[in-house]
Amino acid sequence: MFRLDSKIALVTGGSRGIGRACVEALARQGATVIINYVKGEAAARELSDQIVAAGGKAEIAGFDVADTAATESQVDAIIKRHGRIDILVASAGIAIDGLLLRLKDEDLDKLFNTNVRGSLTVARAATKSMMRSKWGRIIFLSSVVGEMGNVGQTGYAATKAALIGAAKSIAREYATRNVTANVIAPGFIDTDMTAGMTDPQREAIHKLVPLGRTGKAEEVAAAAVYLASEEAGYITGQVLRVNGGMYV
Ligand code: NAP
C-alpha cells in the first residue's frame, strides 16, 4: 500500500526538518523526489546522494519560494525535465514570533511572502502539469497554531490559517481534474524550528499534549505519504492533524 513508484514529487523546504523527512519517506515509497532548499545546498545534496546510493531517485533544486520569478522558472524546468509534477509537498516555511504589538511590517511581509505566497506560487506552477495529466496531490504544511492560535505567534498563525483556506479552495477548483489538495497541521515537532525552546517551554507543551511528548518529523512524513498516495484519492480539502491530541 501507499507505493509511489513512477510519481514525481517536489518537496519545498526538503533540506531540513519535516520537509527532509517527507523527502526520505516519499523516496522510500518509490517516488522521484526533487528536493528544494534556499540556503542548505550541502544538506540537500547530501540527502539526494544518500537516496541515490540506496537505489532511490532524487535531485536538488535551489530556489527561494518567496521569489516568484525564480520559483516559476524552476518549477517549469522541473516539469520540462520530468514531464510533470504529480505530488507537491509545500513544507518551506519560517517562523517569526512576537506579540502583536511588537510585530514589525517587515516581519509580516517575510512571513506572508514565504509561508503563504511561497506555497501558493509553487502550487500554481505545479498544478499546470497536474491539470494536464489529470492526477495531482497538493499538500500544504499548516500548524496546530493556525487552528487554535498561540500567544506570541499572531503573524505566524495567520499564515498557517491562510493555507487551510487556500487548500480548501484549491480542492474545490481542481477536483474535476482529479487533483486533491489537503493540509497537514502538525503540533510541536522536533526540528530546527523548535530547537530554540527552553526546557520549561518544552515541559509546558508536554502538559498540553495528551500523548505527553513532542512529535517526530517522520510522524508528519507518514501523513504526507498517505495523502500523496493513490489510496487517498477520495480525500480532498481536509486538515490532517498530527499533534498528539493537542487540538482535536
Ligand atoms: P525547519 O526545520 O526550520 O526547516 C525549514 C525548511 O524550509 C528548510 O529546508 C529551509 O531551507 C526551507 N525554507 C525556508 N525558507 C525558504 C524559502 N524562502 N524558500 C525555500 N525553502 C525555504 O522547519 P520545519 O520545522 O521542518 O517546518 C516545516 C514546515 O512545517 C513549515 O512550514 C512549518 O511552519 C511547519 N510546521 C512546523 C512545526 C514544528 O513544530 N516544527 C509545527 C507545525 C508546522 P534551508 O535549509 O535552505 O534553509
Side-chain angles (χ1 to χ4, degrees):
M1 276 186 113
F2 313 134
R3 288 300 303 173
L4 299 171
D5 304 289
S6 83
K7 298 293 186 210
I8 311 295
L10 167 62
V11 180
T12 67
S15 49
R16 288 189 284 125
I18 292 169
R20 183 184 178 99
C22 289
V23 167
E24 290 172 327
L26 293 166
R28 256 197 314 274
Q29 293 309 109
T32 298
V33 189
I34 293 100
I35 307 165
N36 160 256
Y37 61 91
V38 63
K39 292 190 205 120
E41 181 173 349
R45 195 175 292 284
E46 182 216 310
L47 177 57
S48 164
D49 289 348
Q50 221 171 281
I51 290 167
V52 172
K57 288 164 260 143
E59 64 184 47
I60 64 171
F63 58 91
D64 179 349
V65 297
D67 178 339
T68 301
T71 299
E72 285 181 337
S73 80
Q74 289 272 355
V75 173
D76 284 351
I78 293 165
I79 293 171
K80 216 171 252 164
R81 241 183 352 266
H82 293 279
R84 60 188 201 282
I85 291 173
D86 301 303
I87 299 161
L88 166 66
V89 179
S91 187
I94 55 167
I96 303 174
D97 295 343
L99 296 170
L100 175 61
L101 266 177
R102 305 221 164 85
L103 266 183
K104 300 190 201 87
D105 284 348
E106 56 260 41
D107 295 338
L108 285 171
D109 285 346
K110 269 192 215 152
L111 278 168
F112 276 86
N113 288 344
T114 305
N115 296 359
V116 183
R117 196 159 56 69
S119 298
L120 296 191
T121 305
V122 183
R124 186 177 60 202
T127 48
K128 278 192 243 161
S129 99
M130 294 177 181
M131 290 205 336
R132 272 197 301 275
S133 55
K134 295 206 168 54
W135 199 98
R137 300 281 188 263
I138 307 272
I139 301 165
F140 287 147
L141 265 297
S142 177
S143 164
V144 66
V145 304
E147 291 196 285
M148 66 183 277
N150 195 20
V151 173
Q153 290 202 299
T154 295
Y156 175 74
T159 66
K160 294 290 147 178
L163 291 175
I164 296 176
K168 290 184 179 194
S169 304
I170 295 168
R172 290 181 186 278
E173 274 182 32
Y174 289 81
T176 56
R177 304 300 182 116
N178 199 30
V179 174
T180 68
N182 291 290
V183 173
I184 298 175
F188 284 81
I189 309 297
D190 292 319
T191 68
D192 292 346
M193 194 174 269
T194 50
M197 278 194 306
T198 61
D199 285 343
Q201 280 170 331
R202 202 167 280 277
E203 275 161 35
I205 283 163
H206 289 176
K207 287 200 186 107
L208 295 174
V209 179
L211 283 176
R213 62 174 177 86
T214 47
K216 301 188 197 100
E218 294 73 27
E219 292 172 310
V220 181
V225 164
Y226 172 58
L227 290 174
S229 70
E230 198 67 61
E231 286 84 348
Y234 200 53
I235 297 175
T236 195
Q238 303 302 313
V239 180
L240 180 46
R241 299 175 182 133
V242 184
N243 64 19
M246 183 176 179
Y247 177 78
V248 292

